[in-house]
């Protein structure tokens, strides 16, 4: 069996015959929104193993504040959401993918509600809708004010736990995808993993779904958790998959900028709720830059902040929320964060600076979440589906993870049937 592996293409040398061997139908690498949604779908067709590099509660998804964009208001429409997505994407989005994702949003949110996700609701039981940059309507559903990711992750974790044929391996690091033959077209048949207790293991799968997130930690200034280290992108590349649009890295305009403190996201929903950006002289500067001012697409706002900082000197601009009387109720987690630094948003300006936030490029996939390597599918931030073009529209990422996670889970199983590898 050793001869099957060209050791030069793997990250570390290994003796496959000496390692424990585990078998499953679908292997999902990543336990965030895309990974768990994929696992739930794949579990309808067979056994599933989900690998999570850390604990499930600490995924990048769990850190998301703002929300999930979706057309939920009768006054809003799919055309408008699609148009906003394409505009933010600077004309480089794939129109069919955009339509698919925005149209599936409401159904997937209803499904989450039916699984127990506690969205913030109005008195009539309809989801409260926030506004974020680049959106021409209020269409961001949220939970716990600014704790949407935490609640989404909780809901998916609990749903996954009810599924007897899904096993979740936490703190299990995927080192490499297995391709037991050389050359172009070699299929992926699982992954080599490392677990602090069990050491190296080989997990063989009839299909593998990569949902391992992004690359934020490659940057000094980032909103991402420490686990966002690009290893899924690197693994896919070593296995022969095509990566595309890797130059498109999105910078979030507003992270807390305090000397000595790690960067913490201040959700775009704060500006959607009426927060202003001020220069050192206390003047709003975004009105001169874009008709949507503070709610212009992210790349526009981040670029304007960097230019403003260069013009005025110093290291940050200011976010002004002093006029937002309900700040603490709407953004309880940010309020608590600011308090730790003795900042009170009702009286203090908040120092902010852009930081690396989201890898727009990634492993190229088609509309069925297939990569160009047989047996390998990808969903979520690690993938490049064509939805985001050159710049992702705010809160479209959790939505994309839900839509393409589900597609990937089903497509992975269907491809096994089509290839006769299913039985
Ligand atoms: C935010 O809450 O500002 C981030 C939302 C996103 O990245 O889509």
């Amino acid at each position: 069996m050793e001869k099957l592996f060209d050791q030069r293409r793997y990250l570390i040398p290994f003796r496959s015959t000496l390692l424990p061997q585990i078998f499953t139908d679908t292997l999902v690498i990543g336990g965030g929104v895309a990974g768990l949604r994929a696992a739930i779908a794949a579990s309808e067709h067979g056994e599933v193993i989900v690998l999570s590099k850390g604990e499930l509660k600490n995924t990048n998804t769990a850190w998301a504040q703002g929300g999930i964009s979706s057309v939920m208001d009768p006054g809003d429409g799919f055309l408008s959401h699609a148009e906003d997505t394409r505009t933010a994407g600077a004309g480089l989005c794939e129109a069919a993918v955009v339509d698919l994702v925005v149209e599936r949003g409401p159904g997937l949110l209803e499904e989450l509600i039916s699984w127990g996700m506690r969205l913030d609701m109005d008195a009539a039981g309809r989801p409260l809708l926030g506004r974020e940059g680049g959106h021409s309507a209020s269409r961001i559903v949220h939970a716990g004010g600014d704790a949407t990711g935490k609640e989404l992750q909780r809901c998916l974790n609990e749903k996954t736990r009810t599924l007897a044929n899904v096993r979740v391996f936490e703190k299990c690091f995927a080192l490499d995808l297995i391709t037991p033959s050389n050359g172009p077209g070699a299929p992926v048949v699982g992954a080599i993993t490392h677990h602090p207790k069990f050491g190296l293991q080989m997990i063989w799968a009839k299909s593998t779904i990569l949902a391992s997130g992004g690359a934020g930690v490659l940057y000094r200034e980032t909103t991402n958790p420490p686990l966002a280290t690009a290893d899924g992108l690197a693994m896919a590349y070593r296995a022969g998959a095509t990566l595309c649009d890797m130059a498109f890295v999105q910078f979030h305009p507003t992270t807390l900028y305090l000397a000595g403190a790690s960067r913490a996201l201040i959700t775009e929903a704060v500006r959607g709720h009426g927060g202003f950006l001020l220069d050192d002289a206390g003047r709003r500067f975004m009105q001169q830059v874009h008709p949507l001012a503070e709610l212009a697409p992210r790349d526009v706002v981040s670029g304007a902040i960097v230019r403003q900082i260069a013009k005025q000197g110093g290291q940050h601009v200011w976010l002004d929320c002093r006029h937002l009387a309900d700040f603490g109720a709407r953004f309880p987690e940010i309020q608590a964060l600011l308090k730790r630094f003795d900042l009170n948003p009702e009286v203090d300006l908040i120092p902010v600076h852009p930081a690396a936030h989201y890898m727009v490029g990634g492993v190229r996939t088609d509309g069925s979440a297939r990569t160009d390597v047989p047996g390998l599918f990808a969903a979520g931030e690690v993938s490049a589906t064509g939805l985001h073009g050159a710049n992702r529209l705010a809160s479209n990422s959790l939505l994309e993870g839900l839509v393409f996670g589900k597609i990937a889970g089903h497509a992975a199983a269907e491809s096994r049937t089509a290839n006769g590898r299913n039985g």
Side-chain angles (χ1 to χ4, degrees), residues 32-352:
V33 57
L36 291 191
R37 192 62 194 80
I40 293 164
S43 75
E44 293 176 29
H45 310 272
E47 301 284 326
V48 182
I49 290 176
V50 179
L51 305 181
S52 175
K53 194 164 36 155
E55 292 176 83
L56 273 191
K57 61 178 193 244
N58 289 333
T59 63
N60 211 343
T61 292
W63 280 36
Q65 294 179 358
I68 310 171
S69 61
S70 183
V71 174
M72 304 298 277
D73 186 307
D76 192 8
F78 293 138
L79 285 179
S80 166
H81 189 180
E83 175 70 22
D84 292 345
T85 300
R86 287 193 299 268
T87 303
L92 294 181
C93 302
E94 284 185 32
V97 174
V98 174
D99 292 344
L100 171 95
V101 171
V102 303
E103 285 170 21
R104 294 211 180 165
L108 286 164
L109 276 163
E110 291 302 334
E111 189 176 63
L112 287 174
I113 293 168
S114 76
W115 292 346
M117 184 166 174
R118 297 185 285 256
L119 295 176
D120 296 332
M121 300 283 193
D122 66 14
R126 290 177 302 246
L128 285 167
L129 300 174
R131 180 108 184 248
E132 290 183 9
H135 287 273
S136 57
S138 294
R139 62 169 75 98
I140 316 297
V141 300
H142 45 87
D146 52 3
T148 312
K150 206 188 271 180
E151 173 57 12
L152 174 60
Q153 187 77 45
R154 182 204 64 76
C155 170
L156 291 173
N157 291 354
E158 287 190 9
K159 174 71 185 169
T160 305
R161 265 189 223 112
T162 65
L163 303 170
N165 55 350
V166 179
R167 285 184 286 167
V168 178
F169 296 177
E170 290 184 291
K171 298 188 187 161
C172 190
F173 182 52
L175 285 163
D176 248 318
L177 298 164
I178 307 172
T179 50
S181 56
N182 297 329
V188 165
V189 289
I192 304 163
T193 64
H194 182 265
H195 187 282
K197 188 157 157 209
F198 306 111
L200 291 177
Q201 303 184 107
M202 299 194 72
I203 304 182
W204 299 87
K206 292 174 186 161
S207 40
T208 300
I209 300 172
L210 197 57
S212 50
V217 171
L218 301 185
Y219 293 81
R220 191 187 67 181
E221 310 285 340
T222 180
T223 63
N224 286 200
L227 295 177
T229 48
D231 28 270
L233 296 163
M235 239 185 305
Y237 182 73
R238 287 194 297 276
T242 299
L243 271 54
C244 67
D245 295 339
M246 297 300 285
F248 296 148
V249 175
Q250 180 170 76
F251 282 70
H252 194 286
T254 54
T255 52
L256 181 63
Y257 196 89
L258 286 169
S262 58
R263 300 295 160 253
L265 182 69
I266 310 275
T267 175
E268 190 150 328
V270 170
R271 280 172 285 124
H273 202 60
F276 298 136
L277 288 167
L278 304 183
D279 64 16
D280 265 352
R283 283 184 303 252
R284 287 179 71 188
F285 57 90
M286 281 308 301
Q287 288 159 315
Q288 293 85 54
V289 178
H290 193 278
L292 288 171
E294 280 87 353
L295 287 180
R298 253 174 215 176
D299 57 332
V300 176
V301 182
S302 291
I305 292 175
V306 169
R307 283 192 299 279
Q308 181 59 38
I309 291 170
K311 199 159 112 193
Q312 71 190 24
Q315 293 183 309
H316 58 78
V317 294
W318 302 98
L319 184 61
D320 185 3
C321 302
R322 293 170 300 181
H323 51 292
L324 303 179
D326 61 347
F327 188 95
R330 176 66 179 84
F331 305 108
E333 303 243 332
I334 299 175
Q335 169 102 328
L337 167 81
L338 295 175
K339 199 164 173 215
R340 289 211 294 276
F341 297 102
D342 276 336
L343 287 174
N344 176 357
E346 283 177 22
V347 290
D348 298 314
L349 295 176
I350 304 165
V352 291

